[in-house]
Amino acid sequence: MLVERTKENLKECRCMECPSYTMGCKLRNYPANFAKMLGDLNDTEHFEGMYCAFEKSHCIEEDKGCLCEECPIHTKYNLVREDYCIKTGGLVSRSCAMGFDNKKSH
């Protein structure tokens, strides 16, 4: 099942609480993320958060822990992977449930 790019899902998302998403990343990306949340997330190419629905982070460089399996989105969409924030290919036809295959499609 595709992870829907909705504001409701974003509210449940745990990415912003992840230890890998450092304070530096939060501060650097807050203005852009806030502006994108005012629009339609389906029209958003990249978002620093809800990586299973968008793509890996452009900010996170090191795995400092993962909350994916504790995330309500992970459960809601029956996802089977973790570390969507740092692995290329977490987004396959906008579906993380299909896994990582190093392909990037939009």
Side-chain angles (χ1 to χ4, degrees):
M1 175 183 282
L2 296 177
V3 175
E4 296 174 293
R5 295 178 176 185
T6 65
K7 291 176 182 160
E8 292 77 23
N9 279 346
L10 192 58
K11 288 177 188 174
E12 294 181 29
C13 173
R14 301 268 327 266
C15 289
M16 300 298 176
E17 302 167 26
C18 182
S20 297
Y21 196 69
T22 64
M23 184 57 71
C25 285
K26 290 176 186 176
L27 293 173
R28 223 177 0 252
N29 291 292
Y30 178 78
N33 276 358
F34 182 77
K36 290 174 184 178
M37 286 189 306
L38 296 175
D40 185 351
L41 291 176
N42 282 312
D43 295 334
T44 301
E45 187 68 29
H46 178 75
F47 189 89
E48 279 296 324
M50 211 161 63
Y51 301 109
C52 61
F54 289 94
E55 63 181 357
K56 75 176 192 165
S57 174
H58 293 178
C59 186
I60 297 172
E61 296 176 359
E62 181 182 353
D63 184 352
K64 295 182 178 187
C66 182
L67 298 179
C68 287
E69 291 186 353
E70 300 170 25
C71 180
I73 302 301
H74 195 275
T75 303
K76 180 178 179 178
Y77 288 92
N78 297 313
L79 303 179
V80 295
R81 306 282 185 193
E82 54 185 44
D83 291 326
Y84 294 102
C85 62
I86 58 173
K87 292 184 180 173
T88 300
L91 177 71
V92 179
S93 300
R94 289 190 57 204
S95 173
C96 3
M98 296 180 71
F100 303 112
D101 68 356
N102 294 323
K103 291 180 186 174
K104 184 177 174 184
S105 61
H106 299 285

